[in-house]
Amino acid sequence: MKFIPFFCIPFLILSCTNFKVTTRDAKSGYFKTSISATIIKAESNIKLDSLKSLIVVPKNDFLIGMTQNLNYFDSVINLEELEQKIVAQNLQNEVPSVNSLIGLSNAYKKYKPFLFLNLTTVQRDRKGYAQLKLLHPKTGEYIFITEMPVEYANDQGVWYPLYNSLIDY
């Protein structure tokens, strides 16, 4: 197997996938795939129902659509929309940015409670992995992390299993 530089992994992920937003299967309740993701971390002491009113994701149509199609969170917005809501409530002096952990924490405290969902890539042992991470801005801790090798870089091989593991969480 050839070594793939880490900086090439996001390009490979983006070039080998469709990013097709889909709905959950009515019968199974999951996104259609035959592969399961590996759960790296799943905090059990978190009461998700108390945080389901709002989830924030990066500005990405695929992440927004898939997160909406979980049919769990009351509202799914991106970081830009979060900033607009903060400005609309005249909180920009208390929350000048939401582009860092400190900014997300301030937004959680000053605007309203929410969770932050992000897709990242990591490399271990010369292999690339896509990770779906759920951050609790109040604590700054990831409460859920799931991953898939990018060797299956397509919707059913990476993205749907990641979201299915979030459904189980």
Side-chain angles (χ1 to χ4, degrees):
M1 178 184 232
K2 290 184 177 181
F3 174 71
I4 299 172
F6 180 69
F7 62 85
C8 292
I9 291 174
F11 173 74
L12 289 173
I13 289 173
L14 293 174
S15 65
C16 299
T17 186
N18 298 327
F19 285 107
K20 181 178 183 248
V21 175
T22 189
T23 56
R24 293 165 61 174
D25 179 75
K27 192 182 254 188
S28 70
Y30 293 100
F31 298 105
K32 188 173 182 172
T33 184
S34 60
I35 302 171
S36 296
T38 301
I39 296 174
I40 304 299
K41 182 177 185 179
E43 290 291 331
S44 60
N45 60 345
I46 303 296
K47 294 180 177 151
L48 280 183
D49 285 346
S50 67
L51 295 166
K52 72 181 235 167
S53 67
L54 178 63
I55 189 162
V56 179
V57 299
K59 190 173 183 178
N60 176 296
D61 291 340
F62 179 76
L63 287 175
I64 292 167
M66 289 296 290
T67 306
Q68 287 171 334
N69 288 348
L70 288 171
N71 299 321
Y72 178 75
F73 297 99
D74 299 334
S75 180
V76 179
I77 63 172
N78 64 45
L79 286 168
E80 185 177 307
E81 292 169 319
L82 177 61
E83 285 182 332
Q84 291 169 351
K85 291 179 182 295
I86 288 168
V87 169
Q89 290 193 9
N90 202 26
L91 297 171
Q92 62 269 25
N93 290 334
E94 297 176 68
V95 186
S97 172
V98 293
N99 293 319
S100 69
L101 182 56
I102 292 170
L104 289 172
S105 178
N106 285 335
Y108 180 97
K109 293 172 189 168
K110 303 295 182 178
Y111 172 63
K112 71 187 287 187
F114 63 91
L115 293 172
F116 179 71
L117 185 67
N118 196 15
L119 180 64
T120 62
T121 57
V122 296
Q123 185 173 11
R124 281 191 315 276
D125 303 323
R126 301 174 81 170
K127 285 182 159 182
Y129 297 86
Q131 291 186 335
L132 193 64
K133 296 179 166 187
L134 189 61
L135 177 81
H136 194 313
K138 180 180 180 181
T139 63
E141 297 283 327
Y142 285 104
I143 59 173
F144 181 79
I145 303 172
T146 185
E147 74 177 17
M148 283 296 298
V150 293
E151 61 194 45
Y152 306 111
N154 62 49
D155 296 339
Q156 291 183 336
V158 177
W159 317 124
Y160 301 168
L162 291 174
Y163 271 93
N164 284 342
S165 64
L166 185 57
I167 291 168
D168 287 338
Y169 179 61

